[in-house]
Amino acid sequence: MKARINIKDITGIQEFNLEADIVPGNGAGNISFKNTITDFESVITASLFDNHKTKIMHEIHNKNIYMSLSSEGKEFEVDIDLLTGKIVSMTCRNGYKGKLFMEFGIGNKMSDLLKVNKNIRFDLDHDFYVNYPFDGLIIYPPDYKLAEKIFNATVEGKAIPDFTIDTIVIIDMEFAKKMYSGTLIY
């Protein structure tokens, strides 16, 4: 008979580093796309016991096969495919201090990023910005109306409306090839 493991003895990732760099194709929050659901075992099981707390919240989405793990204020969120146990996306929001390309992050102007990185382009199929060639980076305009204005300006060759970056997403390239085959993979 196998002995039960004491919840106090379970190790694994207990919190996210909200100052870690955002690296497309690699990770953010000191989490890598190489991490799997097993690295978060203590977080998932801790909610069953009142005496063991972590700094990571979790929820399972009812209508699909993903689990989300997030910091307490949702500044950083990781989505895990429950069938494979692999991380498919990481989302950085307001309050995340880490930088993209070592100098841009949440709170910076999109126009400043576009001046420095000429490979960032607006994807007309999905209404968000991506790095070309696609490396998993996605930057969403803050709302649908602004995305529509950016779309129209891009098509018409006019000045692109600026905005403050409030969401940066990086997705796993294997996941991207399955979900966006033919549209994002250049």
Side-chain angles (χ1 to χ4, degrees), residues 54-73:
T54 70
K55 294 188 178 195
I56 299 176
M57 315 304 286
H58 75 282
E59 65 180 294
I60 297 176
H61 303 285
N62 292 335
K63 298 195 179 196
N64 57 36
I65 56 170
Y66 298 101
M67 171 183 277
S68 292
L69 303 170
S70 65
S71 58
E72 293 173 301

Side-chain angles (χ1 to χ4, degrees), residues 144-171:
Y144 180 75
K145 290 180 183 179
L146 182 58
E148 193 173 285
K149 289 178 184 176
I150 294 169
F151 177 92
N152 291 336
T154 303
V155 170
E156 296 168 5
K158 295 182 178 178
I160 306 295
D162 197 11
F163 62 91
T164 300
I165 299 170
D166 68 359
T167 305
I168 297 173
V169 177
I170 54 175
I171 61 176

Side-chain angles (χ1 to χ4, degrees), residues 3-157:
R4 295 193 104 167
I5 297 172
N6 187 333
I7 188 70
K8 293 176 186 171
D9 298 330
I10 295 175
T11 60
I13 299 168
Q14 297 290 314
E15 63 184 297
F16 299 122
N17 179 351
L18 301 180
E19 296 181 3
D21 285 340
I22 303 166
V23 184
N26 188 16
N30 271 3
I31 305 299
S32 165
F33 284 111
K34 293 178 183 174
N35 289 112
T36 65
I37 196 167
T38 58
D39 296 314
F40 298 99
E41 179 181 14
S42 62
V43 171
I44 297 164
T45 58
S47 66
L48 302 173
F49 303 93
D50 291 333
N51 62 345
H52 187 74
K53 302 289 182 203
T54 70
K55 294 188 178 195
I56 299 176
M57 315 304 286
H58 75 282
E59 65 180 294
I60 297 176
H61 303 285
N62 292 335
K63 298 195 179 196
N64 57 36
I65 56 170
Y66 298 101
M67 171 183 277
S68 292
L69 303 170
S70 65
S71 58
E72 293 173 301
K74 295 232 180 206
E75 301 92 346
F76 182 68
E77 187 170 334
V78 173
D79 286 330
I80 299 174
D81 181 327
L82 291 174
L83 296 178
T84 65
K86 295 175 107 182
I87 294 174
V88 295
S89 70
M90 299 181 199
T91 304
C92 303
R93 296 186 187 91
N94 286 326
Y96 191 91
K97 305 284 187 229
K99 299 297 180 189
L100 175 68
F101 308 125
M102 300 173 74
E103 61 182 298
F104 295 97
I106 306 301
N108 288 113
K109 291 287 192 183
M110 189 66 193
S111 59
D112 294 336
L113 176 57
L114 292 171
K115 285 177 195 170
V116 173
N117 188 337
K118 302 295 182 195
N119 294 328
I120 302 282
R121 300 184 185 158
F122 190 74
D123 187 299
L124 296 171
D125 290 332
H126 301 97
D127 295 335
F128 50 60
Y129 285 92
V130 297
N131 202 25
Y132 178 82
F134 186 64
D135 61 0
L137 172 67
I138 297 172
I139 299 176
Y140 289 97
D143 62 56
Y144 180 75
K145 290 180 183 179
L146 182 58
E148 193 173 285
K149 289 178 184 176
I150 294 169
F151 177 92
N152 291 336
T154 303
V155 170
E156 296 168 5

